[in-house]
Amino acid sequence: DPVDYLVSANGIFILNEGNFGWGNGSLSYYSYDSSKIYNDFFGSVNKRPLGDVPYSMMIHGDNIYIVVNNSEKIEVIDRRNLKSVATITGLISPRYIVLAGLDKAYVTSMYSDSVRILDLKKNIISGYINIHQTSESVVVMGQKAFIANWLGGNEIFVVNTETDVLIDSVEVGKEPESMAVDKNGMIWVLCNGGWKRDNYAELLGINPQSLATFRKYVFPTLQNSPLNLQSDGDGDTLYYIDNGIRRMSISSPELPSDPLIDGDEHLIYKVAINPSNGDIVATDAVDYQQNGFLLIFDRNGALKNSRTTGI
């Protein structure tokens, strides 16, 4: 059967977390072709709410996998018409999903000391990797998955993706919150210093082969709480949120002293970089209670477009 294409290939998906415990999370889609935003896309197609705190997603093959944190499930939908394919349950406070093999994914957890293994052919949990700690951001390089222990932690765990076995760990700064991979295949780890602000935040460059730290930047004050590290499509520039959006070259001798995009006008919640045109895409959570905004800046930080999203 021909499938109706509801979304063009040229656009941006936005997950709206909603309010914790309210079950009012939703999926939005911004089309570059029409400059329109389509809100509550999952709900309008599937005639049911997406759930409580949709947190992250992955596109793989014909499907989109949406991790719904407080509903403790993953909604699998068709990437073309957004119709429900399956719902994977049995997760504990899931956070991020990453492809870890041909038909295999890992799902990290805020409260469980195990990483869930998913069978993407059957859309079921097929196993567990006990890392004895909670897990947050995750990247896969070759046959290794690098899994950050964020809440109170200071380690990146290394898992062999062929055997699903924990093989090593790397000590980093306090609370490694996000990671990115550059054009040289190096892993960058942003450690935000802990929610009590009792440690300085750090940005580290780690060689995934030797596990050696080749670069270390320490943020200037205990008040710096950087978040949401991203790399651009070329893999030579890093972006993160810290009183606005900051940008730095992977070869920079120091951290950027000023934001590229000022944080005073917006409550910047997440940032992503469009790999095809360099657009800096951010969300403004306003006050976490009302509908937010999608903000699209060009690579120089000039605002190109703003659209109202969900909560």
Side-chain angles (χ1 to χ4, degrees):
D1 290 351
V3 177
D4 285 337
Y5 280 79
L6 283 184
V7 293
S8 68
N10 188 20
I12 302 160
F13 284 106
I14 305 101
L15 287 178
N16 306 285
E17 292 182 18
N19 307 108
F20 187 86
W22 286 40
N24 58 349
S26 63
L27 175 69
S28 299
Y29 180 78
Y30 173 84
S31 167
Y32 267 105
D33 302 332
S34 66
S35 298
K36 281 184 184 163
I37 194 163
Y38 301 88
N39 288 317
D40 195 26
F41 221 148
F42 179 94
S44 60
V45 169
N46 295 294
K47 309 295 182 236
R48 62 185 175 88
L50 178 54
D52 200 35
V53 193
Y55 190 75
S56 65
M57 61 180 260
M58 171 180 82
I59 301 175
H60 170 60
D62 290 333
N63 291 334
I64 295 170
Y65 299 80
I66 302 174
V67 178
V68 191
N69 171 261
N70 204 40
S71 294
E72 303 197 313
K73 67 177 182 175
I74 292 173
E75 289 286 358
V76 187
I77 59 176
D78 187 295
R79 70 185 291 175
R80 298 158 298 187
N81 57 25
L82 307 188
K83 283 182 180 163
S84 177
V85 173
T87 302
I88 304 171
T89 57
L91 299 149
I92 298 173
S93 192
R95 297 285 280 183
Y96 288 99
I97 182 171
V98 67
L99 197 64
L102 194 58
D103 290 297
K104 180 169 76 173
Y106 291 162
V107 182
T108 62
S109 169
M110 197 170 185
Y111 296 128
S112 168
D113 58 8
S114 292
V115 172
R116 301 302 189 265
I117 307 169
L118 299 189
D119 178 334
L120 300 180
K121 269 207 164 81
K122 298 177 182 167
N123 287 319
I124 56 167
I125 297 172
S126 60
Y128 305 86
I129 307 164
N130 189 352
I131 60 171
H132 305 287
Q133 296 289 347
T134 61
S135 49
E136 177 73 354
S137 57
V138 51
V139 295
V140 169
M141 297 285 299
Q143 271 74 57
K144 289 179 186 171
F146 295 83
I147 302 167
N149 171 215
W150 171 55
L151 274 183
N154 67 337
E155 285 180 286
I156 306 292
F157 295 102
V158 187
V159 166
N160 180 320
T161 57
E162 299 199 321
T163 59
D164 302 323
V165 171
L166 177 65
I167 53 171
D168 216 330
S169 68
V170 187
E171 192 173 315
V172 292
K174 185 78 180 280
E175 299 213 336
E177 185 267 346
S178 47
M179 294 188 281
V181 177
D182 72 17
K183 66 179 181 185
N184 304 317
M186 298 293 123
I187 295 174
W188 292 84
V189 182
L190 186 63
C191 308
N192 66 0
W195 63 275
K196 290 182 190 163
R197 311 261 51 84
D198 51 2
N199 290 266
Y200 288 93
E202 297 177 12
L203 175 63
L204 307 172
I206 293 173
N207 182 318
Q209 260 59 54
S210 67
L211 304 185
T213 299
F214 66 88
R215 194 73 62 75
K216 178 177 173 177
Y217 307 86
V218 179
F219 283 77
T221 76
L222 284 170
Q223 269 50 62
N224 287 103
S225 181
L227 301 164
N228 202 207
L229 184 68
Q230 303 282 332
S231 60
D232 68 348
D234 297 328
D236 57 15
T237 309
L238 301 173
Y239 293 80
Y240 58 89
I241 298 169
D242 182 21
N243 296 322
I245 298 171
R246 297 180 189 241
R247 170 171 74 185
M248 67 177 274
S249 160
I250 57 171
S251 57
S252 171
E254 57 191 18
L255 294 168
S257 53
D258 295 307
L260 173 71
I261 295 164
D262 195 55
D264 293 342
E265 289 173 44
H266 307 283
L267 199 167
I268 302 288
Y269 188 61
K270 289 282 163 70
V271 62
I273 311 302
N274 183 328
S276 60
N277 66 6
D279 278 356
I280 303 160
V281 180
T283 53
D284 180 347
V286 186
D287 60 2
Y288 300 108
Q289 301 296 317
Q290 58 183 296
N291 288 336
F293 293 95
L294 172 73
L295 307 171
I296 302 175
F297 302 91
D298 69 20
R299 61 173 70 234
N300 300 314
L303 186 65
K304 285 168 65 171
N305 221 325
S306 170
R307 291 287 181 268
T308 303
T309 60
I311 298 171

